[in-house]
Amino acid sequence: MIDFIAYIFGCNKIIFMPSKVIARENWSKIGFLMATIGSAVGLGNIWRFPYIVGSHGGGAFLIPYTISIIIFGIPLMMLELDAGRKFKGSVVTTLKQINRRFWLLGILAPIVSLSILSYYLVISGWTLGYFIFSVTGYMEFSQFTNSLLPLLYFAITLAITAFIVSKGIKKGIEKASMILMPILFVVLIGLAAYALQMPGASDGLAFYLTPDFSYLFDPNIWLMSISQAFFSLSVGYGILITYGSHLSKETRIGRSVLGVAGADALIAFIGGLIIFPIVFSFGINPSAGTELSFIALPTVFGSMPFGMLIGLLFFFLLFIAALTSSISMLELGAANFIDELKWSRKKSVAFLSSIIFVVGIPSALSFYGGGISFMGKPFIDFMDIFFGTLLMLSAALLCIAVIWFYRPKVFDVKNKLLEKIKASSIMIFLLKYIIPIALFILFVVELLSGGGGH
């Protein structure tokens, strides 16, 4: 089997290169947790998760989603962090040390991630714009996207992200995460407490928390739950390999992964506690997607008690979630230039930011004037479909390359119950066989459906 996979990757034999010791900044324990939770928590938790739940059976979706996090998300997080700490390098550096012929795959992962970042920052800019509109007065979404404002807010969001990453691990990413993540938690809890007091809260909660088990027989809900868990936890990008390269030997990876996965799922769950009471109170379709956040909810905020404050906090919440994920994606790219080309951090960030800005302009102007489209779709939608689908393939290949050629025999679980049920061995089995197959299936489904799952 290993020989067959080696053939697929163009290798005649397994070739391990000695790990080079590179002086790297290390996270503090709490800083690593905050930064990794920040990487995982993004628009997928607070914006995408509720409308995915709303269009896939309400409470029924929570069951396969939880299972997907445990079976797919946690093992992939363990694998990436373990490999990053072992080889102390970026994705390209790590894969080259596993096998020198894997450098091409190492390049593919950051290219896909940075391409996603180019339009993710555009959507992040929308949240920044609507945060400002919460004070100045909401602009119609079609009017907003048909102006140059999305380009302006895209540039501002990119500049903020670049500034934080240019400061490094300790003074930049960790420091920002230590400030932003507690703020996110406080705002999240505050908004949920307010939403649960609304007149339609009980109906919203009934939809959200009462599962219709008949939905569990629909294969689509399982595929969507795997996809949501995969995107939500930021696995498969190579981000966690990069973050893992800054881990000290004393850090307990198993405990950290459980903390990050738990926090990520909890934030998504609380996001639902905000959205569903509001939408049921005002009779809005809970599966509206982009329309929900940028069209329906601004109208609601304009007519509800304390609406300006609630809208301000809601879009600030979205912006923080988007920013923390953007930081991790830019760091993924910058780390490769720092490790492989020996560029300074500031030079690497400046170069990548320039490229991202140029690539992101068509996405930012997708609806401006006559609009910029490609293959009959707004450019931002094309980018989401193409690179979101390609990410599935990249993630599957990354998983195979690391689990079959690095071949860790055991993961850092160090828990009596987990050791008793042989959790480490189970995860390695899942990573070798089940997870790559699932990712390939998702890739094919996305390809055949034209990216309909995004």
Side-chain angles (χ1 to χ4, degrees), residues 108 111-119 231 237 359 379 381-394 454:
L108 175 63
I111 286 176
V112 171
S113 182
L114 291 170
S115 299
I116 290 173
L117 179 59
S118 72
Y119 68 82
F231 281 110
Y237 292 77
V359 174
F379 194 82
D381 291 347
F382 164 76
M383 290 289 286
D384 184 35
I385 292 168
F386 182 80
F387 287 101
T389 302
L390 186 59
L391 178 61
M392 297 290 184
L393 177 62
S394 174
H454 295 296

Side-chain angles (χ1 to χ4, degrees), residues 262-336:
D264 180 76
L266 179 62
I267 289 171
F269 177 76
I270 297 174
L273 294 180
I274 296 171
I275 297 297
F276 290 108
I278 293 176
V279 300
F280 274 81
S281 291
F282 287 86
I284 301 170
N285 179 7
S287 61
T290 304
E291 180 183 341
L292 176 63
S293 292
F294 296 103
I295 299 176
L297 287 182
T299 302
V300 168
F301 295 147
S303 61
M304 67 192 300
F306 307 105
M308 188 183 83
L309 176 61
I310 300 304
L312 189 76
L313 291 174
F314 177 75
F315 286 110
F316 184 54
L317 178 69
L318 287 183
F319 180 68
I320 291 177
L323 180 62
T324 53
S325 291
S326 300
I327 288 168
S328 64
M329 283 190 271
L330 184 55
E331 171 62 19
L332 164 65
N336 288 284

Side-chain angles (χ1 to χ4, degrees), residues 52-65:
I52 293 294
V53 172
S55 57
H56 290 82
F61 184 81
L62 299 178
I63 297 171
Y65 177 63

Side-chain angles (χ1 to χ4, degrees), residues 62-245:
L62 299 178
I63 297 171
Y65 177 63
T66 303
I67 293 172
S68 296
I69 287 176
I70 295 170
I71 293 180
F72 298 96
I74 289 176
L76 274 168
M77 292 179 74
M78 292 285 292
L79 180 67
E80 289 195 40
L81 289 172
D82 186 74
R85 183 166 69 176
K86 167 69 176 178
F87 295 104
K88 290 293 181 185
S90 63
V91 179
V92 174
T93 304
T94 295
L95 289 177
K96 281 173 62 180
Q97 289 184 84
I98 291 174
N99 189 298
R100 64 172 176 258
R101 299 185 182 184
F102 286 174
W103 66 272
L104 186 59
L105 175 58
I107 292 174
L108 175 63
I111 286 176
V112 171
S113 182
L114 291 170
S115 299
I116 290 173
L117 179 59
S118 72
Y119 68 82
Y120 188 84
L121 283 167
V122 172
I123 301 172
S124 305
W126 295 353
T127 68
L128 176 61
Y130 271 73
F131 167 69
I132 295 171
F133 295 158
S134 298
V135 177
T136 63
Y138 291 113
M139 183 183 291
E140 289 287 339
F141 186 63
S142 58
Q143 181 185 356
F144 170 66
T145 54
N146 193 28
S147 71
L148 293 174
L149 286 175
L151 181 62
L152 172 63
Y153 289 123
F154 161 57
I156 293 172
T157 307
L158 173 59
I160 295 170
T161 304
F163 174 77
I164 292 171
V165 175
S166 69
K167 293 295 182 180
I169 295 297
K170 298 289 288 186
K171 294 181 180 179
I173 301 173
E174 181 174 313
K175 187 175 181 180
S177 300
M178 294 285 282
I179 295 170
L180 294 174
M181 293 315 297
I183 292 174
L184 182 143
F185 276 106
V186 170
V187 173
L188 190 74
I189 296 298
L191 285 175
Y194 179 87
L196 291 173
Q197 302 298 317
M198 299 187 70
S202 59
D203 294 334
L205 288 177
F207 175 79
Y208 186 36
L209 302 179
T210 305
D212 180 349
F213 293 105
S214 64
Y215 277 91
L216 299 181
F217 296 97
D218 181 3
N220 287 328
I221 196 174
W222 290 92
L223 287 173
M224 186 56 69
S225 68
I226 296 170
S227 174
Q228 176 63 23
F230 170 77
F231 281 110
S232 177
L233 291 170
S234 295
V235 290
Y237 292 77
I239 290 170
L240 297 181
I241 289 178
T242 305
Y243 275 23
S245 70

Side-chain angles (χ1 to χ4, degrees), residues 296-378:
L297 287 182
T299 302
V300 168
F301 295 147
S303 61
M304 67 192 300
F306 307 105
M308 188 183 83
L309 176 61
I310 300 304
L312 189 76
L313 291 174
F314 177 75
F315 286 110
F316 184 54
L317 178 69
L318 287 183
F319 180 68
I320 291 177
L323 180 62
T324 53
S325 291
S326 300
I327 288 168
S328 64
M329 283 190 271
L330 184 55
E331 171 62 19
L332 164 65
N336 288 284
F337 283 84
I338 294 167
D339 288 350
E340 293 297 313
L341 300 182
K342 309 305 178 188
W343 284 11
S344 71
R345 173 169 288 274
K346 289 186 177 180
K347 180 180 178 181
S348 301
V349 172
F351 174 76
L352 285 175
S353 298
S354 301
I355 298 298
I356 290 167
F357 180 73
V358 172
V359 174
I361 288 175
S363 293
L365 300 179
S366 292
F367 306 100
Y368 176 66
I372 299 177
S373 61
F374 190 80
M375 297 181 67
K377 296 180 180 294

